Amino acid sequence: MRAALYLLAARVSDAGMLRVRAVTVAVALVALSCATSAPRSSPAVEPPLPLPRSSIAAVLASRGELGMSEQQVSALEELDAKLERTDAPLREELRAHHEAKKGPARPEGRGGQGMPGGGMQGGGMGRGLGRGGGSQGGGRMRPEGPAGEAFDPGAVHQKLDDNDTAAYLEAEQVLSEAQRPRAREIASRYREQVFERRRKPE
């Protein structure tokens, strides 16, 4: 009789242990599922490094690779400073244009009142992308230039590019025949990066 009771108690104990193990495994699986299903935070995207201010500055940054002499470095630094002075008014116009896009602008036309910030120009094409409406009612909004005319950032960027090209060609005359091919590659890559960043939305 006692043997039978011991056997029954053992079976009951084994069943209890099995239930405990089953509960433990279930809890572990739920915890694992929660851990794997939790969204992983994506790594922070670092902002791109600032570009040199000109093709000449990009070439100067590789002076060691090009084996430039002190006289060449000095001459290119002088040309780059001259270019910076020439470009300063143009860059100020762009800065003022970007600031104007953040605030109210004057409506174009006589129909009504437009919405603030509705006249950003896209892609340097000189077209106002207003939200104010059509031919009647509120006119489209267009940022203005210093004299009140519609501002065309594309034209300013083109002028900056023309100035950069002219200055680089002058600087190239300071370099030797052996240095010019690699310097032109550096300048071309710099200009490609400038164009790529201009195409990105602000």
Side-chain angles (χ1 to χ4, degrees):
M1 184 65 179
R2 289 183 179 180
L5 290 175
Y6 287 143
L7 181 58
L8 179 60
R11 289 179 179 178
V12 171
S13 177
D14 290 342
M17 290 298 295
L18 288 174
R19 282 195 291 270
V20 171
R21 290 178 181 176
V23 171
T24 302
V25 172
V27 171
L29 289 176
V30 170
L32 180 61
S33 175
C34 293
T36 55
S37 62
R40 296 182 179 180
S41 58
S42 57
V45 178
E46 297 183 359
L49 296 176
L51 293 176
R53 69 187 179 196
S54 67
S55 294
I56 297 177
V59 171
L60 281 169
S62 300
R63 67 189 69 181
E65 176 187 354
L66 294 170
M68 295 171 59
S69 65
E70 293 183 2
Q71 291 80 5
Q72 288 176 321
V73 170
S74 178
L76 263 65
E77 287 177 342
E78 183 177 345
L79 290 172
D80 189 48
K82 177 182 176 182
L83 175 61
E84 184 183 17
R85 291 191 296 270
T86 301
D87 287 346
L90 298 173
R91 297 190 186 280
E92 177 60 25
E93 288 184 23
L94 287 174
R95 186 200 64 77
H97 169 66
H98 291 313
E99 290 296 326
K101 290 198 301 183
K102 298 177 182 178
R106 285 174 51 187
E108 177 188 343
R110 295 173 296 179
Q113 295 183 349
M115 297 177 63
M120 293 185 289
Q121 297 186 8
M125 300 302 293
R127 296 181 298 176
L129 302 179
R131 296 182 294 178
S135 58
Q136 297 181 356
R140 292 187 299 179
M141 308 293 294
R142 302 176 67 185
E144 295 182 348
E149 71 278 6
F151 183 79
D152 183 4
V156 179
H157 282 139
Q158 184 61 54
K159 181 60 176 174
L160 289 171
D161 294 340
D162 293 343
N163 291 347
D164 185 84
T165 299
Y168 172 77
L169 291 177
E170 185 177 357
E172 198 175 69
Q173 302 305 311
V174 179
L175 304 177
S176 67
E177 291 291 339
Q179 293 170 327
R180 290 176 186 176
R182 178 55 183 154
R184 186 164 294 185
E185 290 179 2
I186 295 171
S188 297
R189 177 55 185 157
Y190 160 76
R191 292 289 286 270
E192 290 174 2
Q193 291 174 323
V194 170
F195 297 148
E196 289 171 0
R197 294 197 183 184
R198 284 180 189 168
R199 286 197 296 265
K200 292 181 179 179
E202 299 179 2

